[in-house]
Amino acid sequence: MTNRTAYRLLGAAAALATGAMALLGTGAGTAAASPRAHCDRAERPIWSEGPSRNVTARGCDVPDQKHRWYVIDVDTLVQPRHRNDYLEESLAGTSTLHDKTMRCLGYTKDGHVVNWFGCVPDLS
């Protein structure tokens, strides 16, 4: 009885390790092979606490595949700086950046406008 239990435990451990390695390998390969999205123009407001996590973009080519994270190359990124956290208030200024890359969690699409959400505030 003891010998049979040891073999079962050893077999279960081997199956678990093999399954875990297969999952890790699949996830890493998918993340590395994901195509990039491209947008001609995007706007991301800068609030009092920093850049918004939401970006509104136009002229985007979005890959057909669904991903957990998207890498977006933006030709022109406009960042209006708000004096406070109210849209109706005046702007403190606007900066325009060119050829920037950002990472976002997902998007919704409304006609020709793509609304990216969950964007990491750092740009490269």
Side-chain angles (χ1 to χ4, degrees):
M1 282 265 203
T2 315
N3 199 14
R4 191 179 304 167
T5 304
Y7 280 119
R8 286 182 182 164
L9 286 174
L10 184 60
L16 183 63
T18 303
M21 292 304 284
L23 287 175
L24 287 174
T26 303
T30 304
S34 63
R36 299 165 83 96
H38 174 266
C39 296
D40 294 333
R41 184 175 176 83
E43 182 175 313
R44 177 172 66 177
I46 306 292
W47 303 103
S48 61
E49 73 274 357
S52 174
R53 304 304 190 260
N54 299 323
V55 175
T56 302
R58 290 176 172 74
C60 295
D61 295 321
V62 181
D64 293 336
Q65 303 157 307
K66 300 294 182 193
H67 300 287
R68 178 82 178 176
W69 284 96
Y70 291 86
V71 177
I72 304 106
D73 294 321
V74 179
D75 291 342
T76 304
L77 177 64
V78 178
Q79 297 186 123
R81 290 186 312 278
H82 295 270
R83 293 186 193 277
N84 53 35
D85 292 338
Y86 301 103
L87 282 174
E88 292 79 26
E89 298 296 322
S90 62
L91 295 175
T94 301
S95 61
T96 303
L97 306 173
H98 298 282
D99 301 322
K100 292 298 172 183
T101 300
M102 63 180 74
R103 290 184 48 201
C104 298
L105 185 59
Y107 69 93
T108 59
K109 199 168 185 179
D110 183 22
H112 297 290
V113 177
V114 178
N115 295 300
W116 297 97
F117 59 85
C119 299
V120 178
D122 294 330
L123 295 173
S124 56

